[in-house]
Amino acid sequence: MTKDVIALTRRMPAPATVLAALLSGGPDKLVGSAGEGAVIQLCDAAGRPLVSVEAPLLVQVEGEAERLLGATPPPVPFWWTEARATTGVPDAERLAGTLAARLVTLSGGSAWPPQAARSLGVVRTDGVSVAPEPAAAQPAVDVLTDKAAVVIQDRPVVAMTAWLSDAFRAAAEAELGLQIVSPPGATLSPAVRDSLGGWPSRWIVQDERDGYYDGLTGAVLRWQNGMFAPADPVSEGGGEAAGEPRTPVAAAYQEVAATGDRQLAVTFRAVHPADERLVLGGGLEAVWRELTGAPPAGWGTAEPANLPWSPRRLTDVAYERAPRPSWFVVVGSPDRPGLATVRVRRTKAGVEEEVTLAFGYGSGEEPPVDAVPRAAEVLASRHRLQSMLVQLRKARRDLAVPPRFEGPGVPLSFVLGAEEVRAMPGDRARRTPLSRAPVELGPKARPALYYPLPGDPSDLSGWKDFELLMRHLKGAQPH
């Protein structure tokens, strides 16, 4: 059952319009607010929410509705208004659909999913029951136990929406795992995958054959002791002579077809002095330009990325949030899929900027491997690079993460920043056990070092070279 309904409108829904749409639930419903007024809720007489509506978001970036919903929105800029129906209330989804239909009728545009927003009539909801507190207190959480917060997401792409970002934050503060449940046809945004962390947080995929499985590992899961956890291990081959028991892997996870798609993935960390003149995002833009010929298209504090690319505005938001850490998503244009997440935090060394970036390429497109050394040199010489890892992997061009096996990437190169090279004792950074010598980048007096690695997606032996290099740089003795 769809839980989210989204109105994509040409004009901003006025407060009176939203209120009128909310009251389509009938006079027995009450309107409340949450999230410091950013979320309006349609509640029952006990004050428990039936439908939660987020403040309209102005989207000024091409391709975000298509990427996340598969929907055709009005021309940019347009307004994105999300409504989430409370799980377990049969009429709550109809209420959310009616609200979206009225917003679209009054403000122009379209709704997603189309079938959820066809009725303009009043939805009678006498005698309904809703999820009890405290689950209802967090609009994105459907089930809450002492071990995990469970979120049900029936969307084409499970994205890092403001709803989900709030759920991540609330679960972390409560020291709970966040478990996201989606139907089999859904994919995951890289922004969500990179934020899931470790156990007991998971992406859980519903499956006809195996019930539920982990979309990132394939492990068959069962609901037990207040959370989704791996099913009981089974012995391979069966019988007493079988090998070590292993958690069963879902059949759907193993159904993989080669497409020829690839991704070029870049992760890097930079540390800047805590200076009033600091502008964040410059390193990311430099890499983006070197690898695509253009800057990023947009950014935001959640998905959809709604703002045109602006390092200055991104810096302002991070500055306003300091000393708390900040998280941003950055996207490219529809013709060159690209997505990055940026984490900014204050440390004793200064302001740390950690970037995870990927670009997608189809079977007939060549990733710009030759441009990687230039991008590394710009980072090393102008943006206080600390370290950088570049990988090539067989994965989808659109960057969406499927609930299927995707092989690991292989390391293409590693870069050590100038300060880190200088801090190494003797010639350790330059004299490595690798067959190829490192290449100096940046000023000759204080160079960074670029370590080429095999980078063949069909050969995972590059990870052995990478591990050997890391052990050497850390001063560990070889095996």
Side-chain angles (χ1 to χ4, degrees):
M1 178 183 293
T2 298
K3 306 301 176 186
D4 299 340
V5 180
I6 301 168
L8 308 171
T9 59
R10 296 186 180 91
R11 299 180 297 279
M12 179 181 178
T17 301
V18 176
L19 182 61
L22 282 167
L23 292 177
S24 64
D28 57 324
K29 300 298 166 285
L30 306 174
V31 177
S33 65
E36 300 180 350
V39 176
I40 301 175
Q41 296 175 324
L42 188 66
C43 307
D44 66 2
R48 294 171 296 190
L50 299 173
V51 175
S52 301
V53 186
E54 193 163 88
L57 181 70
L58 180 63
V59 177
Q60 304 174 65
V61 181
E62 293 276 2
E64 284 296 88
E66 293 87 341
R67 178 175 73 90
L68 298 175
L69 301 175
T72 301
V76 294
F78 63 88
W79 293 88
W80 179 304
T81 307
E82 292 211 16
R84 180 169 176 82
T86 299
T87 305
V89 182
D91 286 321
E93 183 186 359
R94 293 176 56 207
L95 281 170
T98 298
L99 180 144
R102 294 200 172 198
L103 292 183
V104 168
T105 299
L106 294 172
S107 301
S110 59
W112 178 91
Q115 65 273 17
R118 290 175 177 167
S119 175
L120 293 172
V122 171
V123 179
R124 298 297 180 187
T125 55
D126 297 335
V128 301
S129 60
V130 299
E133 298 281 5
Q138 170 54 253
V141 173
D142 295 291
V143 179
L144 190 66
T145 74
D146 61 352
K147 293 186 176 66
V150 180
V151 175
I152 300 172
Q153 289 277 275
D154 191 359
R155 300 166 75 132
V157 179
V158 178
M160 185 60 84
T161 60
W163 302 106
L164 197 55
S165 178
D166 287 344
F168 268 105
R169 190 178 303 110
E173 290 174 354
E175 298 184 346
L176 298 173
L178 185 70
Q179 301 195 327
I180 303 169
V181 182
S182 69
T187 60
L188 199 67
S189 164
V192 177
R193 177 195 58 198
D194 297 341
S195 300
L196 270 176
W199 180 91
S201 296
R202 297 180 183 274
W203 174 31
I204 297 113
V205 179
Q206 296 174 312
D207 183 65
E208 292 183 355
R209 288 171 288 184
D210 291 295
Y212 299 92
Y213 69 92
D214 188 310
L216 299 179
T217 69
V220 175
L221 305 173
R222 299 286 181 265
W223 180 260
Q224 46 194 330
N225 300 319
M227 66 177 180
F228 285 96
D232 293 336
V234 296
S235 296
E236 292 187 350
E240 296 182 0
E244 289 292 325
R246 295 187 179 183
T247 300
V249 176
Y253 181 79
Q254 303 176 65
E255 295 172 349
V256 179
T259 64
D261 286 4
R262 286 176 292 175
Q263 292 177 12
L264 185 64
V266 181
T267 56
F268 68 88
R269 179 181 285 107
V271 180
H272 311 276
D275 190 301
E276 290 183 355
R277 296 170 296 177
L278 171 64
V279 177
L280 299 167
L284 173 59
E285 179 175 330
V287 172
W288 211 294
R289 286 183 181 276
E290 289 292 340
L291 298 181
T292 71
W299 71 285
T301 57
E303 290 180 292
N306 64 307
L307 298 169
W309 174 245
S310 170
R312 172 56 65 185
R313 291 189 66 183
L314 183 148
T315 303
D316 289 344
V317 172
Y319 183 81
E320 291 168 3
R321 293 182 174 183
R324 293 174 297 159
S326 294
W327 181 95
F328 306 103
V329 61
V330 181
V331 299
S333 59
D335 61 330
R336 171 49 58 221
L339 187 143
T341 58
V342 182
R343 298 179 188 274
V344 178
R345 62 190 182 100
R346 288 292 302 268
T347 66
K348 292 181 179 179
V351 180
E352 182 178 292
E353 192 176 13
E354 184 176 348
V355 176
T356 300
L357 167 64
F359 296 106
Y361 303 89
S363 58
E365 300 174 306
E366 283 299 321
V369 171
D370 292 343
V372 169
R374 295 198 306 271
E377 180 149 25
V378 172
L379 284 178
S381 59
R382 303 179 191 173
H383 299 283
R384 298 184 178 272
L385 177 69
Q386 189 178 64
S387 63
M388 174 181 180
L389 176 64
V390 182
Q391 301 177 55
L392 201 58
R393 61 191 181 207
K394 296 178 180 178
R396 290 171 55 142
R397 183 184 187 273
D398 64 5
L399 305 178
V401 182
R404 305 283 186 272
F405 174 77
E406 283 191 318
V410 293
L412 185 68
S413 60
F414 177 76
V415 184
L416 197 62
E419 289 299 321
E420 286 63 39
V421 170
R422 189 183 183 196
M424 290 275 177
D427 288 340
R428 181 188 296 171
R430 290 174 173 81
R431 295 182 177 273
T432 75
L434 301 183
S435 60
R436 300 170 66 182
V439 178
E440 292 189 354
L441 301 176
K444 290 184 177 181
R446 297 170 65 86
L449 291 179
Y450 180 95
Y451 301 89
L453 295 163
D456 182 355
S458 62
D459 184 2
L460 297 180
S461 64
W463 285 114
K464 295 181 180 179
D465 288 345
F466 179 75
E467 182 182 3
L468 187 64
L469 175 63
M470 291 300 100
R471 289 179 59 83
H472 171 80
L473 294 177
K474 292 175 182 178
Q477 294 297 319
H479 292 300

